[in-house]
């Protein structure tokens, strides 16, 4: 059984990239004024929060009730 893990990477220019399975999308401009973002990549829903080193994240199979997601597919 293959397990897939998401990663958030910060490149040399300071851009943030979300990688999930065979999907990769830049998320740098997805954050609101509070440093939070909600995105969909592939079949997964992500909640992201900017940190000093990049960002922290959580994910789920289903969208959270009442939350709007930016589709990065």
């Amino acid at each position: 059984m293959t397990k897939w893990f998401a990663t958030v990477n910060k490149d040399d220019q300071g851009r943030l990239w979300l990688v999930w399975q065979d999907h990769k999308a830049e998320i740098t401009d997805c954050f609101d004024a509070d440093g939070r973002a909600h995105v969909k990549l592939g079949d997964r829903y992500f909640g992201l929060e900017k940190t000093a080193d990049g960002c922290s994240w959580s994910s789920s199979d289903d969208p959270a009730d009442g939350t709007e997601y930016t589709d990065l597919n």
Side-chain angles (χ1 to χ4, degrees):
M1 178 168 142
T2 302
K3 293 193 177 196
W4 294 97
F5 296 96
T7 60
V8 175
N9 302 314
K10 189 174 187 179
D11 68 18
D12 293 339
Q13 289 78 36
R15 295 176 301 199
L16 295 173
W17 295 85
L18 176 61
V19 180
W20 164 248
Q21 294 181 338
D22 60 345
H23 304 280
K24 180 179 180 180
E26 184 179 356
I27 57 171
T28 307
D29 296 329
C30 293
F31 294 89
D32 63 17
D34 295 325
R36 296 186 179 170
H38 296 91
V39 300
K40 180 181 181 197
L41 185 61
D43 60 354
R44 200 88 179 143
Y45 296 87
F46 294 86
L48 306 157
E49 185 172 351
K50 280 190 177 180
T51 65
D53 297 331
C55 84
S56 61
W57 58 271
S58 62
S59 70
S60 65
D61 291 331
D62 300 306
D65 289 339
T67 302
E68 289 188 35
Y69 290 83
T70 301
D71 192 340
L72 300 176
N73 294 303

